[in-house]
Amino acid sequence: ALKDCSQVVKVIGDPARMLLEGVDMVRFAMPRMSGDLTGLVQGRALSERIRDRVAKQLIAGMYEMHTRQVVHLDLKLDNVLYTALVDTATGELADVCVAYADFGLSAVNVPYDSLFEGVRGSGAYVPPEMWQEDRKWNPYAADVYSFGIMIYALYYASFPFHTSEKKNQHFTKFQLAQAWQRKTPTDALDALWPCHSLSTVPASRREIFDRCLQIDPSKRFRFDQRD
């Protein structure tokens, strides 16, 4: 479903055909990449231009996946690979090209009104509805929340909270700020982490957090609808 998507890692070869031909171990060959985004974010100081460049590609990849009815369900910086283009004269990053990888938990041909159950994903990226006992959740909305956390981690090299469970005091404050005080996600995050104030960042970035980090899944942005 994603063979022609520019923001998805390409697999060279056909694993199904290899199995039919009796190959004992299927090996996946991929283009050479520089590493994953966690390593990039933690390993060097990135300019706002580079972070914005990465964010735009991540957004494009979400459109490509969701409009083709593919949900990733394990979105995180670790699962995005990048190729770095370095300015040979200065040694600085000139550009970064990224691609989503690791579709082990993903699902394809998923109607938008589908409901899943259980917990999928990793740590701080897991949306709050997955932690609610016996609750079914929408996979597209879950992806969108994880995407919002991923963008936050891209820009601030940290997470707003380590888990979106009620046992986490930071998440509880974030949830109550939205539910009782009617704060937007960005205002709620500002109250939690004044040192990472979003009041001065570009409106386009604030919009990402406001539209992706809604506690109520029905209020989150839909990448399958270009608006």
Side-chain angles (χ1 to χ4, degrees):
L2 298 173
K3 288 182 179 179
D4 61 338
C5 294
S6 56
Q7 258 64 62
V8 173
V9 168
K10 303 300 182 292
V11 175
I12 303 170
D14 186 344
R17 181 177 179 181
M18 294 169 71
L19 287 172
L20 288 174
E21 292 176 351
V23 177
D24 293 331
M25 181 181 293
V26 176
R27 298 181 183 273
F28 293 91
M30 299 184 299
R32 184 182 181 89
M33 309 291 279
S34 303
D36 63 54
L37 284 188
T38 295
L40 180 66
V41 169
Q42 295 178 346
R44 62 191 301 169
L46 301 179
S47 67
E48 288 295 297
R49 183 185 68 81
I50 290 294
R51 293 182 198 271
D52 289 343
R53 168 70 175 150
V54 170
K56 288 178 181 178
Q57 293 177 71
L58 293 176
I59 290 170
M62 290 295 291
Y63 275 116
E64 290 180 331
M65 287 188 287
H66 282 195
T67 56
R68 288 169 169 79
Q69 294 189 308
V70 175
V71 286
H72 191 284
L73 298 179
D74 195 15
L75 292 172
K76 55 183 178 179
L77 295 184
D78 311 59
N79 286 342
V80 180
L81 303 182
Y82 76 93
T83 300
L85 303 177
V86 179
D87 186 324
T88 55
T90 64
E92 298 294 324
L93 280 180
D95 199 2
V96 174
C97 298
V98 305
Y100 288 97
D102 195 350
F103 285 79
L105 296 180
S106 66
V108 299
N109 299 323
V110 181
Y112 189 83
D113 58 358
S114 297
L115 294 175
F116 287 20
E117 56 187 355
V119 177
R120 298 196 197 187
S122 302
Y125 297 92
V126 175
E129 60 268 22
M130 285 190 189
W131 298 116
Q132 298 181 28
E133 189 174 355
D134 298 325
R135 172 165 180 177
K136 294 184 177 181
W137 41 268
N138 180 280
Y140 290 94
D143 259 4
V144 170
Y145 178 90
S146 299
F147 173 82
I149 295 293
M150 186 167 61
I151 295 297
Y152 187 96
L154 168 67
Y155 280 101
Y156 302 106
S158 63
F159 299 112
F161 18 81
H162 292 296
T163 178
S164 58
E165 297 178 88
K166 290 183 178 180
K167 67 181 182 181
N168 183 281
Q169 62 173 341
H170 291 127
F171 173 73
T172 298
K173 291 179 181 178
F174 180 73
Q175 183 182 40
L176 294 177
Q178 286 194 44
W180 290 0
Q181 301 172 31
R182 306 302 182 194
K183 287 188 176 181
T184 63
T186 51
D187 286 341
L189 288 171
D190 272 350
L192 277 179
W193 307 111
C195 59
H196 290 164
S197 177
L198 303 176
S199 61
T200 59
V201 303
S204 59
R205 198 183 311 164
R206 293 199 302 273
E207 184 179 17
I208 291 175
F209 301 128
D210 281 338
R211 302 190 71 180
C212 294
L213 296 182
Q214 295 284 343
I215 299 296
D216 182 349
S218 67
K219 295 181 179 179
R220 293 177 198 154
F221 182 70
R222 288 183 58 169
F223 282 99
D224 66 313
Q225 295 179 339
R226 295 178 179 268
D227 61 352

